[in-house]
Amino acid sequence: MSLTFDHTTLGQRVLFGAGQVAEHLAAEVARLGAERVMVISSVSEARTAEEVTRRIAVTVHHRDVAPHVPIDKANAARTIAIDHDIDVIVCVGGGSTTGLAKAIAMTTGIPIIAVPTTYSGSEATNVWGLTEQARKTTGVDDKVLPVTVIYDATLTLSLPVDLSVASGMNGLAHCIDAMWGPRADPINRALAGEGIRALAAGLPAVNADPTGLPGREQVLYGAYLAGVAFASAGSGLHHKICHVLGGAYDLPHAQTHTIVLPHVLAFNAPAVPDLDHRIAAAFDAVSAVAGLCALQAGLHAPTALKDFGLTEQDIPEAVELILPVIPPSNPRPVTADDLRTLLHAALSGTRPASTVHPTSTAPGNGAHPHPRKAIR
């Protein structure tokens, strides 16, 4: 059977190297011919941003950053960029910082140089998100794709292990959603599979040795692949759920993704045994759910949304908000009852059953219940 698909590869420069961020940034600002630089970072990342930008002239530092990019903060930052005649934005931080830079670029077209300090992967996508009146809206616009991403694993050393785990799990969510997103194709599935392998190898290494660079470099590499795959495949069921929960109930982004992911995987994987096998192989596990749950358990990842503020009373409204935005391309239909069951499990922290889909292990069907070890 011949392959037929339509794939777009986004154009972006990536510079990767521990201890080289200031040098790389100065070279990129010069390459772009930029003279008026706006640096965006959170207050907690201010010292890191100053160190990163020590070799360039900065016109304005902006530190009013908040999760889910509230529209009022986006508008204020846009005004500052215009008033200072900014010609390049440098964002130093995680997904919230990158998201604010994207909000500026979306209306001004000012190019972005992203310097990630977490594993969110937002820097590798052309996806933007804004929150207004407790409702998060997302979209796609090539203007928001950073022209350059500068990765330096030393910048992630200050990220505590628990936040590293949650941030890396957010990367895994990008990979898994890319397997069956609205525009999923063989290329982004290949990137997603390698992203899962790198993240599954890197996160335990970070957990075991938080000050070591090899594990953190693997996680950064995996997070980049995750972002590229997700940008290509589009937002699937998992991200639709998490965007609603984050915007409506002010839940922390990475932890919400971490908690919801195994439940979405357990819901979808049985409907697509071939992708179940592919994800399982990347985890080197007997099934996709088994691999993910084993990884999360070993990392002591968060499991319950109730620990972050969601309540039983929120679930009926959440179901109403999520149901209309579920992509029709999801591997199996999603009903209101399905969502209620999924959200109740995620709320309480009930682990999904980590079993292989029955058709994948039936004798004589040609399937392999134990996938071959992923190439290291």
Side-chain angles (χ1 to χ4, degrees), residues 46-124:
R47 182 172 297 179
T48 298
E50 290 173 0
E51 177 64 19
V52 164
T53 59
R54 68 183 186 275
R55 295 190 180 186
I56 64 172
V58 177
T59 301
V60 60
H61 282 276
H62 184 75
R63 292 168 182 154
D64 190 10
V65 177
H68 307 297
V69 195
I71 189 66
D72 59 328
K73 294 189 181 296
N75 287 334
R78 289 163 174 169
T79 299
I80 290 170
I82 292 169
D83 287 350
H84 286 83
D85 195 25
I86 297 301
D87 55 12
V88 72
I89 301 164
V90 175
C91 54
V92 181
S96 299
T97 304
T98 307
L100 183 59
K102 287 181 173 184
I104 300 171
M106 183 168 58
T107 58
T108 65
I110 300 171
I112 301 170
I113 300 174
V115 182
T117 61
T118 71
Y119 310 116
S120 76
S122 174
E123 67 279 356

Side-chain angles (χ1 to χ4, degrees), residues 145-224:
L145 179 74
V147 296
T148 305
V149 184
I150 301 175
Y151 289 109
D152 186 331
T154 63
L155 299 183
T156 70
L157 290 173
S158 62
L159 191 66
V161 169
D162 60 334
L163 295 182
S164 296
V165 167
S167 185
M169 287 294 164
N170 184 25
L172 277 172
H174 288 141
C175 291
I176 289 171
D177 238 10
M179 289 291 183
W180 43 59
R183 300 184 302 277
D185 63 45
I187 295 175
N188 48 51
R189 283 175 178 149
L191 293 172
E194 172 64 2
I196 293 170
R197 185 210 61 78
L199 289 164
L203 285 171
V206 171
N207 192 51
D209 182 12
T211 62
L213 289 179
R216 291 185 179 272
E217 288 188 325
Q218 279 293 299
V219 179
L220 273 180
Y221 165 63
Y224 170 73

Side-chain angles (χ1 to χ4, degrees), residues 273-274 277 356-370:
D274 57 329
H277 285 309
V356 182
H357 187 250
T359 60
S360 66
T361 57
N365 70 353
H368 298 279
H370 298 284

Side-chain angles (χ1 to χ4, degrees), residues 132-147:
E132 184 174 13
Q133 296 180 343
R135 297 292 181 266
K136 186 169 184 177
T137 302
T138 62
V140 174
D141 190 326
D142 286 350
K143 290 198 300 292
V144 310
L145 179 74
V147 296

Side-chain angles (χ1 to χ4, degrees), residues 215-281:
R216 291 185 179 272
E217 288 188 325
Q218 279 293 299
V219 179
L220 273 180
Y221 165 63
Y224 170 73
L225 293 175
V228 173
F230 176 69
S232 174
S235 184
L237 173 62
H238 172 81
H239 278 79
K240 295 302 184 183
I241 292 172
C242 292
H243 286 163
V244 167
L245 295 178
Y249 309 106
D250 197 28
L251 301 184
H253 183 82
Q255 290 86 345
T256 301
H257 280 274
T258 303
I259 294 166
V260 171
L261 184 60
H263 301 283
V264 174
L265 183 58
F267 181 81
N268 272 344
V272 278
D274 57 329
L275 296 180
D276 187 356
H277 285 309
R278 188 164 190 164
I279 296 168

